[in-house]
Amino acid sequence: MVAAHHLRIHSIESFGTHDGPGIRLVIFAQGCQFRCLYCANPDTWDPHGGREMHIDEIVQLAISQRPFFGKRGGVTISGGEPTLQRVVLLELFQQLHAAGINTALDSNGRLLNDEVKALLAETDYLLLDVKHINDDWHKQLTGVSNESVLQVAAYREQTGKEMWLRYVLVPGWSDQPEYLHQLGRHFAHYKSIKKLEIQPYHRLGVHKWEVLNMPYQLNDVPPPTQTQLNEVATIFRQYFTEVVIN
Amino acid sequence: MDAIISTPAPFATGRWQQHIDVRDFIQQNLTPYTGDASFLEGPTKATQQLWQLCLDALKAERDNGGCLSIDTDTISTITSHAPGYINRDLEKIVGLQTNQLLRRAMKPFGGFRVVDGAVKEKGQQVAQHVREVFEYVKDHNSAVFQAYDPEILAFRSKGVLTGLPDNYARGRIIGDYRRLALYGANALIAAKKADKLAIDGELTEHTIRLREEVSMQIKALEDMKAMGAMYGLDLSRPAQNAQEAVQWVYMAYLAAVKEQDGAAMSLGNASAFLDIYIERDLQAGLITEAEAQELVDHFVMKLRMIRHLRPGAYDDIFGGDPTWVTEAIGGQLADGRTKVTKTAFRFLQTLYNLGASPEPNLTVLWSNQLPEGFKAFCAQVSIDTSSIQYENDDMMRECRGTDDYGIACCVSHQEIGKRIQFFGARTNLVKTLLLALNEGREEKEGTTLLKGIAPLEGEYLDYEAVMANFKKSMDEVARVYTKAMNIIHYMHDKYYYEKAQLALIDTDPGIDIAYGAAGISIIADSLSAVKHAKVKAIRNEAGLTEGFEVTGDYPMFGNDDDRVDQIACEITDYFFAALRSHKTYKNATHTMSLLTITSNVMYGKMTGATPDGRLAGEPFAPGANPMHGRDVNGAIASLNSVAKFDYNSAMDGISNTMSLVPKSLGHNKAAQVENLTDLLDGYFAKKGFHLNVNVLDRDMLMDAYEHPEKYPQLTIRVSGYAVNFSRLSKNHQLEVITRTFHENM
């Protein structure tokens, strides 16, 4: 049980440049129900791990950092899966807005309920990770269905607020052209999607699996080559105006 | 002053015509530029050919152990050497320190013994007739040691006071080299003669000395004319066009570096001044943009070839054979206009036309009001070359009250032509903390340096008791440091007076006396550990600390955490106040820096284990940086911690060096430029003072470490200046590689 007004966090990156626009204070929330095979931060899974931080302290950090945000930057909550702590996050985002700081939420879309909807209303940029458009592959990759992910996306589209899609490219797992096209077709008409970010699978988190004594199943999977990345980007560009390789 | 002006009519008139007032000339004639970098030109063929000759000479220098040749026969003066050329037919800007490119000259008045030693290290001998001179003449070094007392000598030999300019030239004085171009030597001589006449009334030691000094300055101006004549230049009159303006400024600077080999010999703030001449010639159709760039390229090429003769031991403190030809670029005028000109861009463009380089030490005076096009170009050049540093123009203008200043040495403010600086290197403040923990005994050999420091009781170190001892120790160190500084600068004025530079500065200028402190982040972390965790001192049989056992977590400097950051600020404020309580030679104004140059490696070697858990011999962090790897919340939190220091307690400068891998700045070049611009805006809005920006891959540095020959021009910023990576010692190279890299993958 987390104390009131506290967020259970994994770590802080004060110079985030890859999780939303501009320079961002990125707070990695602790706890995740996805079990992505390639997860670079499996130490964020355990909802009882990490440490508790009072949201006032986070707001203070953000205010201290505000001059660096310029016209674009702000605060991003990533994870782990931040919506597991949606109630306290709503409170945090409201305070950040009161301080004139924009908010981004990097979510797997695990859940859509009234509390999440309230949080999304206070979220300026939703960075929605779509792990796979095909539900069977999604389950293989993450251990859970993509049903809620697509629901969150549809809801976000309904609200008209900005959303970026993030797609982790894992060779052999999430690079099948037919599914890339399917994903493109699914979202092509979404007006809320301003950008699609391809996130190349990397192996920088493998040592954490070893530390946690968990078998890493993608040992044979190499990171995508530049050519592979470009091919995928070319497909996505048929459907989205801005596609970047992150 | 009588009519001294023979400058052509087109310049806007002003006070500068009746008085020596370069600032006014700039104010009246400047053409601010608010556009982008698209107008810039690449190198001309002549530039490429000349630079190739320089690259060849640099290779020969590297192959010859870092020193191409020494003139062991001649004491260097303004007029001592016959003209030297790279290639006379190609050079738009002429002049070398000696008759041969990269040949080093002896400037022995700082300390003949040091010069003699440096020459011997290279397997050569100082000529007998030069040696004989110093059988009759006293130098600065001998004079200082005649006046030192046992206390100073002990502090010095135990490494509490380090790098003092007591056996080499103090440097740090910036002549207003622009004056020679604007007025010509004759008008400057006339003005100095008038000044000398005005020094009358009851003669005191001060005024007697001043009359002598001004006479020496007049002699230096006459010598500059003679040096110019050797190159076929008439320096007696003002420069009349862009090429002459650049040439005259360089000649004035050359006079300074032929006479003096101070650790830092800054150029000042020349780009805006030179732009006035360049812009006028461009408008008149006398030169093209390519020719304008060529002038700047050739000038900068010359500045890159400046050399001083240094002994090997010097390299421990100032690694990489630096000369600190620091040129301040950009900033805003007091009236709100920008001081950015097209020539500010042209200076940065040299890093593309000639490739990256540590010298001249290009320093961008950053204001949040700078034109966006200039900000973006600076960020781009940083990302591409890692060769520039940034300082807070808004803060310096406000606190120091002038918009015409340069950067002396690495990071420290100096009003051009109005004030000078007495350089004082720095105290190893961590040693001072260890004196406080060891009853005033030096931690390695146990020599008692301070009396009256009480032993610390109890199993764990007590914060209040440690602080009380530390403050007492700082008081004592400040007292001894002041004595040393007063002796050094008294003797330097007497035996190695900078007559060429002072000839280009107002008579009887204001003086800052620049103290320094190294190791502030170790002190902050150590005191934080004592306060917030439990620290047990492990003592040897002599009772000296040889290690520390830390139990529990404690906040570390570099994470934007006031619990420790405020300790760093408190100690800085306290030590500066302690320094200020002492009277200084010539009533100089106290300033202090948090700066280490590359000596953070040497300081580490010389310093025992500390209560933050740092082991004996481990390097300090450079400047005011957090310790390696302890700033765990990313780059902005780290910057925020350093930005908390009060500039009023460290007006000589607070150095911060940041290394980033390119990707951490953003996923593509455009994003990287935007984010670096926001980062600089943010840091300086937070009242950060200085930032070195390295945008490098660790892999590339490792490769450069293994194969230095592959990276002859690789430049990195180190604590307030830039160095050529291949010229750093292996130790320094490793230290750079292990330094905190901010990579948020």
Side-chain angles (χ1 to χ4, degrees):
Chain A
M1 193 58 204
V2 182
H5 313 295
H6 280 70
L7 186 70
R8 190 166 275 281
I9 71 158
H10 169 264
S11 59
I12 293 172
E13 169 56 58
S14 61
F15 187 47
T17 54
H18 291 73
D19 298 296
I23 294 177
R24 308 193 70 82
L25 172 63
V26 183
I27 309 286
F28 294 92
Q30 181 72 26
C32 187
Q33 294 164 338
F34 278 49
R35 290 293 175 265
C36 301
L37 298 178
Y38 51 77
C39 183
N41 295 307
D43 47 345
T44 61
W45 291 353
D46 178 2
H48 306 292
R51 64 186 165 101
E52 287 181 20
M53 194 169 174
H54 197 288
I55 57 170
D56 287 354
E57 215 182 316
I58 297 174
V59 172
Q60 255 346 92
L61 268 185
I63 288 172
S64 171
Q65 210 178 311
R66 193 165 45 192
F68 292 87
F69 295 153
K71 295 185 183 76
R72 302 167 301 129
V75 173
T76 297
I77 308 296
S78 183
E81 174 48 50
T83 56
L84 298 184
Q85 302 185 69
R86 54 204 171 270
V87 177
V88 70
L89 280 180
L90 172 63
E91 201 184 334
L92 171 65
F93 276 16
Q94 284 167 338
Q95 288 190 30
L96 289 170
H97 277 153
I101 295 168
N102 77 52
T103 58
L105 188 72
D106 182 7
S107 168
N108 290 320
R110 180 68 187 106
L111 184 69
L112 185 67
N113 62 14
D114 287 346
E115 289 166 346
V116 171
K117 287 178 181 173
L119 176 61
L120 289 175
E122 290 289 336
T123 301
D124 299 308
Y125 303 93
L126 172 64
L127 316 181
L128 185 67
D129 299 78
V130 180
K131 310 293 190 189
H132 211 292
I133 194 68
N134 176 281
D135 201 32
D136 291 336
W137 277 103
H138 195 278
K139 284 176 184 157
Q140 282 191 60
L141 259 179
T142 70
V144 295
S145 163
N146 69 9
E147 197 187 332
S148 66
V149 184
L150 301 180
Q151 279 174 4
V152 169
Y155 173 76
R156 185 66 171 179
E157 171 69 6
Q158 226 179 62
T159 64
K161 288 176 73 79
E162 184 160 344
M163 167 164 57
W164 299 5
L165 295 186
R166 320 191 92 182
Y167 192 77
V168 181
L169 187 72
V170 191
W173 289 80
S174 62
D175 61 347
Q176 309 89 339
E178 68 269 32
Y179 293 128
L180 299 176
H181 282 289
Q182 189 185 330
L183 187 146
R185 284 194 301 274
H186 184 91
F187 289 113
H189 64 282
Y190 274 55
K191 294 191 178 59
S192 57
I193 297 175
K194 303 295 179 207
K195 193 187 271 197
L196 183 141
E197 295 180 316
I198 301 169
Q199 301 186 292
Y201 160 73
H202 63 76
R203 306 174 53 87
L204 297 174
V206 176
H207 68 280
K208 292 187 180 178
W209 289 70
E210 285 160 13
V211 172
L212 295 169
N213 230 344
M214 303 189 306
Y216 189 72
Q217 296 179 47
L218 301 187
N219 270 324
D220 301 332
V221 179
T225 63
Q226 196 57 46
T227 315
Q228 285 173 309
L229 288 165
N230 291 341
E231 282 167 10
V232 171
T234 305
I235 292 176
F236 281 147
R237 288 202 175 100
Q238 297 172 31
Y239 305 96
F240 304 100
T241 36
E242 192 179 352
V243 174
V244 299
I245 298 167
N246 214 345
Chain B
M1 193 163 51
D2 290 323
I4 54 168
I5 302 307
S6 58
T7 323
F11 288 131
T13 58
R15 185 182 187 278
W16 63 274
Q17 293 170 297
Q18 285 79 45
H19 306 271
I20 306 289
D21 190 346
V22 180
R23 177 180 178 271
D24 182 63
F25 172 77
I26 294 170
Q27 299 276 327
Q28 306 300 337
N29 288 283
L30 190 75
T31 307
Y33 177 70
T34 55
D36 64 18
S38 56
F39 73 93
L40 288 165
E41 293 278 353
T44 62
K45 199 148 180 252
T47 300
Q48 287 172 325
Q49 286 172 333
L50 273 177
W51 183 238
Q52 189 54 51
L53 294 171
C54 292
L55 288 176
D56 294 344
L58 288 168
K59 178 168 191 314
E61 184 185 51
R62 257 195 322 277
D63 294 346
N64 202 40
C67 175
L68 186 62
S69 95
I70 306 169
D71 178 356
T72 56
D73 213 40
T74 314
I75 294 175
S76 186
T77 67
I78 299 171
T79 55
S80 55
H81 286 84
Y85 298 92
I86 303 171
N87 178 323
R88 199 172 177 171
D89 297 331
L90 298 174
E91 285 169 83
K92 290 287 187 305
I93 304 301
V94 296
L96 294 176
Q97 284 166 294
T98 66
N99 56 344
Q100 187 200 324
L101 186 59
L102 298 184
R103 184 174 211 197
R104 296 177 196 232
M106 301 188 299
K107 282 156 261 188
F109 293 102
F112 176 73
R113 267 185 332 119
V114 176
V115 168
D116 191 38
V119 171
K120 279 198 184 115
E121 282 174 17
K122 309 283 188 290
Q124 298 178 57
Q125 289 295 327
V126 176
Q128 188 53 33
H129 65 269
V130 173
R131 185 173 300 283
E132 275 167 19
V133 169
F134 288 91
E135 284 169 19
Y136 304 99
V137 170
K138 194 192 280 186
D139 60 29
H140 164 62
N141 171 241
S142 321
V144 169
F145 277 79
Q146 285 172 352
Y148 270 173
D149 65 12
E151 199 171 36
I152 300 171
L153 289 169
F155 272 56
R156 197 180 172 280
S157 71
K158 296 298 170 203
V160 178
L161 297 176
T162 60
L164 297 173
D166 55 13
N167 59 11
Y168 62 98
R170 63 189 167 190
R172 282 261 189 142
I173 291 172
I174 310 176
D176 187 355
Y177 304 112
R178 308 166 304 186
R179 289 185 182 190
L180 190 64
L182 182 57
Y183 297 104
N186 282 354
L188 296 174
I189 289 168
K192 283 292 181 187
K193 283 184 172 165
D195 283 355
K196 189 178 165 192
L197 274 178
I199 305 166
D200 60 1
E202 198 166 330
L203 287 181
T204 62
E205 191 182 344
H206 178 69
T207 50
I208 292 169
R209 180 189 295 194
L210 199 55
R211 285 182 62 81
E212 186 192 11
E213 288 175 355
V214 176
S215 302
M216 291 158 77
Q217 294 169 19
I218 292 168
K219 169 73 165 53
L221 288 164
E222 296 287 357
D223 287 349
M224 284 182 216
K225 286 200 285 183
M227 177 183 68
M230 293 186 211
Y231 285 96
L233 305 169
D234 180 8
L235 300 179
S236 67
R237 60 163 175 82
Q240 288 173 353
N241 55 40
Q243 184 272 330
E244 285 191 358
V246 177
Q247 180 70 72
W248 267 226
V249 169
Y250 177 57
M251 278 287 141
Y253 180 74
L254 187 61
V257 289
K258 289 178 81 170
E259 184 194 88
Q260 290 280 332
D261 53 3
M265 301 286 284
S266 294
L267 178 65
N269 191 325
S271 73
F273 171 80
L274 293 175
D275 187 76
I276 294 168
Y277 290 82
I278 292 172
E279 189 60 25
R280 191 174 65 149
D281 282 9
L282 280 168
Q283 291 302 324
L286 297 172
I287 57 172
T288 62
E289 177 55 38
E291 288 167 328
Q293 184 64 49
E294 186 178 57
L295 289 176
V296 176
D297 285 344
H298 288 203
F299 180 32
V300 164
M301 202 183 300
K302 285 285 164 34
L303 298 174
R304 291 183 178 192
M305 297 297 115
I306 299 295
R307 289 294 182 274
H308 300 297
L309 177 61
R310 308 288 192 202
Y314 186 92
D315 199 53
D316 286 341
I317 315 176
F318 306 119
D321 200 11
T323 48
W324 282 291
V325 188
T326 307
E327 165 66 1
I329 293 173
Q332 297 291 103
L333 294 172
D335 64 15
R337 290 181 293 160
T338 185
K339 215 175 170 181
V340 171
T341 62
K342 283 187 169 180
T343 302
F345 281 80
R346 293 181 187 113
F347 267 79
L348 296 178
Q349 176 74 356
T350 63
L351 293 166
Y352 293 114
N353 287 357
L354 306 177
S357 170
E359 303 282 355
N361 181 17
L362 296 178
T363 305
V364 171
L365 305 178
W366 190 275
S367 160
N368 280 5
Q369 307 306 314
L370 286 179
E372 294 302 321
F374 185 66
K375 284 183 178 176
F377 189 54
C378 291
Q380 179 202 314
V381 174
S382 264
I383 292 164
D384 289 341
T385 71
S386 294
S387 296
I388 50 181
Q389 64 174 352
Y390 299 88
E391 296 206 16
N392 193 335
D393 177 59
D394 292 328
M395 192 162 78
M396 284 190 283
R397 248 185 302 115
E398 184 189 321
C399 294
R400 309 302 285 267
T402 176
D403 57 11
D404 189 32
Y405 61 94
I407 299 301
C409 179
C410 315
V411 299
S412 87
H413 177 284
Q414 195 167 120
E415 186 173 5
I416 302 281
K418 307 285 177 193
R419 294 187 72 82
I420 64 166
Q421 220 175 73
F422 288 161
F423 171 55
R426 55 200 53 77
T427 178
N428 179 344
L429 212 52
V430 181
K431 279 261 185 193
T432 309
L433 175 63
L434 291 176
L435 288 172
L437 302 180
N438 287 298
E439 300 166 52
R441 293 179 299 164
E442 193 264 343
E443 80 279 8
K444 290 197 158 171
E445 288 154 22
T447 314
T448 298
L449 295 181
L450 303 178
K451 296 205 174 70
I453 305 294
L456 293 166
E457 312 287 348
E459 191 182 0
Y460 296 104
L461 293 177
D462 172 70
Y463 185 69
E464 300 304 327
V466 168
M467 274 300 246
N469 273 9
F470 187 31
K471 287 181 173 175
K472 205 167 176 183
S473 302
M474 285 193 280
D475 289 341
E476 283 295 284
V477 169
R479 179 180 63 76
V480 178
Y481 195 178
T482 306
K483 287 199 292 187
M485 286 283 273
N486 286 346
I487 290 172
I488 289 166
H489 292 286
Y490 177 92
M491 294 304 179
H492 204 290
D493 276 349
K494 201 168 168 185
Y495 293 100
Y496 200 12
Y497 182 71
E498 294 92 342
K499 55 185 180 295
Q501 286 153 289
L502 271 301
L504 300 167
I505 291 171
D506 288 1
T507 299
D508 211 7
I511 304 170
D512 292 331
I513 187 160
Y515 296 89
I520 191 68
S521 52
I522 294 175
I523 289 166
D525 287 352
S526 292
L527 293 172
S528 174
V530 171
K531 187 173 183 177
H532 299 288
K534 284 187 162 181
V535 179
K536 190 192 279 182
I538 314 294
R539 297 179 185 275
N540 63 17
E541 58 277 13
L544 297 168
T545 56
E546 57 178 18
F548 294 88
E549 235 175 61
V550 186
T551 315
D553 291 333
Y554 63 91
M556 295 177 183
F557 184 67
N559 296 296
D560 199 4
D561 188 331
D562 276 344
R563 290 174 300 164
V564 52
D565 297 352
Q566 290 310 325
I567 295 176
C569 295
E570 180 191 344
I571 296 303
T572 304
D573 296 344
Y574 185 91
F575 187 58
F576 183 58
L579 289 165
R580 271 178 64 172
S581 70
H582 297 283
K583 191 171 156 42
T584 58
Y585 165 63
K586 282 193 170 172
N587 284 319
T589 306
H590 302 77
T591 62
M592 183 173 83
S593 64
L594 300 176
L595 181 70
T596 55
I597 325 292
T598 47
S599 50
N600 55 311
V601 176
M602 180 270 296
Y603 286 126
K605 267 191 214 162
M606 294 179 62
T607 307
T610 41
D612 57 338
R614 178 192 146 276
L615 301 176
E618 285 185 354
F620 288 15
N625 272 64
M627 283 293 278
H628 318 299
R630 293 186 192 169
D631 43 355
V632 295
N633 288 343
I636 305 293
S638 176
L639 292 174
N640 270 344
S641 283
V642 180
K644 287 176 191 170
F645 288 109
D646 181 359
Y647 180 54
N648 291 298
S649 288
M651 281 216 187
D652 195 56
I654 301 152
S655 173
N656 192 2
T657 298
M658 178 181 201
S659 298
L660 299 156
V661 299
K663 213 168 173 307
S664 73
L665 272 172
H667 53 73
N668 61 29
K669 191 67 169 285
Q672 291 170 4
V673 167
E674 280 183 346
N675 287 335
L676 182 53
T677 303
D678 283 351
L679 182 144
L680 290 164
D681 272 341
Y683 187 55
F684 294 128
K686 294 285 292 191
K687 301 205 177 297
F689 175 74
H690 159 268
L691 195 64
N692 277 323
V693 178
N694 285 316
V695 185
L696 298 165
D697 269 310
R698 194 195 298 256
D699 289 346
M700 182 166 104
L701 281 184
M702 278 314 293
D703 195 46
Y705 177 77
E706 304 289 342
H707 309 285
E709 68 286 352
K710 281 165 61 184
Y711 300 87
Q713 266 187 288
L714 176 61
T715 298
I716 53 156
R717 306 254 8 147
V718 183
S719 189
Y721 76 114
V723 289
N724 187 300
F725 188 78
S726 67
R727 280 157 78 179
L728 283 175
S729 71
K730 286 282 165 192
N731 255 345
H732 282 133
Q733 289 181 354
L734 271 185
E735 195 270 334
V736 167
I737 293 168
T738 50
R739 177 179 306 163
T740 306
F741 263 81
H742 291 285
E743 30 187 343
N744 54 351
M745 301 284 287

